[in-house]
Every structure is written in structure tokens, then in C-alpha cells.
Amino acid sequence: MAQYSNALKACQPNLLRQVYGKSKSLIHGLFPATCLLCLDPGQPPALDLCRECEDDLPRNAAACAGCASPLPRPGAACVHCALQRHAFDAAFAPFRYEFPLVELIHRLKYGGQVAIARILGTVLGHRLLERGAPPVDALVPVPLHPAREAQRGYNQAWEIARFAGQVTGVPVLDRVALRMRATEEQAALPASVRRVNVRGAFEALAGCVPPAVAIVDDVLTTGATADALAEALKRAGCRRVEAWAVARAVGEPAQR
Ligand SMILES: [Zn+2]
Ligand SMILES: [Zn+2]
């Protein structure tokens, strides 16, 4: 009996993978990807965004390398980064936080539509590949406090990082960083108090982080959350931390 039970346990992962793989292809066959924005066919096998709508997303083409803040011309640092450095070493957000990303991110965070993370993570991954090989060893999604994650049912940053990692081949580190305090939702606070709200909110597990990582989030705004997490990751041994997000809020200069 024990032998049988061990054999069953041993074969289950394969069996599960096969069943899951087959059911996934069946689902994709029955429900081909459809663009969420224009209802044209999506991009096979499962991206619910057509190529034209992906190309039409508002690009953050000229951005400060320090904080991803949109700039009038490429090449310069923004006035804030010229005066004061962030705890993270560089930032990348390929899109501006405008229509339709505002709506998509809102539906992901507050509407329970976790499937939208595949779109956001994939388009982030595509733009990262366009820049060249990602210069980090791993992705670290911004952790939610366990109470908020339980309430939402998932961490949207983790879901985005999962798909960006699939596209780029960069592994995602789960649970190496923890949110120790349940902070107020940053989006609900004025820029001036966001830094205080999130200060000291994170801890990272020393010895569990590689030398270079990228923090992944849905939106980069003042950079306060990314700074607090970058400080924790550096305390834990990271030497280089980048801050990556799908979209950069416009008109919210990064501040230290
Ligand atoms: Zn479309
Ligand atoms: Zn800047």
C-alpha cells in the first residue's frame, strides 16, 4: 500500500502537468484569445490584447533613467534625480499611466480581474526584451500585506511579474520580501505623505537575494514604495536594485 501510495505521489506531478496542459490547450481552442480593448482576435496562444492595441498603448518613450518620469526629450535626468538619488539604482516603466492602462490596472486591483495581469505582465516583458537582455538576476514583486492579499485573493504585482518573467526568462522570487506593516493604500494619499506611510514597511530575507534584482509593480508614482523596498533588499545583501512597473504616473515627480 505504501509502495502504491509513493508511486501515486511520484506520478502525480506529471499527470497533473499533462491534464493541465491538455485542458489549457482545449480551453484556448474553444475560447481563442480576444482583444479586451477592441474585440479583434488576440495574440495566440492566450494574450487577450491584439498587436495593434499593444502598439497603441501610451509609450513612455522619453523617460528619466533614475525614476522613469516622462521627460520632454530623451537623454536627460529629471530635476529631482539630478538633485537627489533614489534607494533604487534605475527605473523602467514602458508606458504612461493613461487610458487604457488606468482602466486595466483598476480592474486588476479593485475589480478582481486577475486575468488582466497576463496582458500587463506580457506587454512589460515585450518592452523589456526590446531594451535588450534584462540586467538583473531575478524579479521581486512588491509584496502586499498578508491581510490585504487575503482580501484581494492575489497580489497583482506578483501576477504581473509572473508573466513578465515568462516572457523574459528572468525568475520571480516569491516571499523573499515581506510587508511587515499594513500601510494605507498609497493611491489614496497625497504625494507628500506617501514616503512616511511606507517607511520601514518592508523586510527582506538576508542571504536569500541575488546581487541584482528588479522590483516589479503595476504603477510607479512617487517612487516611495520602491525606495522602501529597495532599502530592505539592500540591507539583505542586494547590490543593485531596479524599479520596474508597467506604467509611470504622469505629473507625479519622484521625490526623496
Ligand atoms: Zn485590440
Ligand atoms: Zn528622475
Side-chain angles (χ1 to χ4, degrees), residues 64-69 77-81 86 254:
C64 171
C67 71
S69 185
C78 77
V79 287
H80 297 279
C81 290
H86 280 274

Side-chain angles (χ1 to χ4, degrees), residues 102-201:
V102 174
E103 286 72 16
L104 291 177
I105 289 172
H106 198 271
R107 282 157 66 177
L108 170 63
K109 283 170 86 167
Y110 308 111
Q113 297 188 29
V114 66
I116 288 175
R118 179 191 289 272
I119 295 176
L120 301 176
T122 304
V123 297
L124 172 60
H126 287 166
R127 301 288 76 82
L128 284 163
L129 286 184
E130 192 176 65
R131 283 204 318 172
V136 296
D137 305 306
L139 307 180
V140 177
V142 172
L144 283 181
H145 187 269
R148 181 163 292 153
E149 188 168 340
Q151 186 186 30
R152 189 170 288 166
Y154 53 87
N155 174 359
Q156 76 281 353
W158 196 93
E159 298 293 333
I160 290 170
R162 191 155 71 90
F163 290 104
Q166 271 179 20
V167 173
T168 57
V170 181
V172 183
L173 294 182
D174 194 16
R175 315 289 171 193
V176 297
L178 307 168
R179 199 171 195 129
M180 309 304 287
R181 274 195 295 117
T183 54
E184 288 286 316
E185 179 91 21
Q186 291 285 81
L189 298 172
S192 54
V193 296
R194 288 182 184 191
R195 194 155 296 279
V196 177
N197 178 49
V198 83
R199 186 173 290 152

Side-chain angles (χ1 to χ4, degrees), residues 19 24 26 31 40 43 59 85 94 97 99 113 138 155 160 165 167-168 176 178 181 187 189 212 221 238 255:
V19 171
K24 251 197 339 189
L26 185 66
F31 305 102
D40 272 1
Q43 299 178 54
R59 295 291 291 267
R85 290 177 63 92
Y97 188 52
F99 176 85
Q113 297 188 29
N155 174 359
I160 290 170
V167 173
T168 57
V176 297
L178 307 168
R181 274 195 295 117
L189 298 172
T221 306
C238 273
Q255 296 160 0

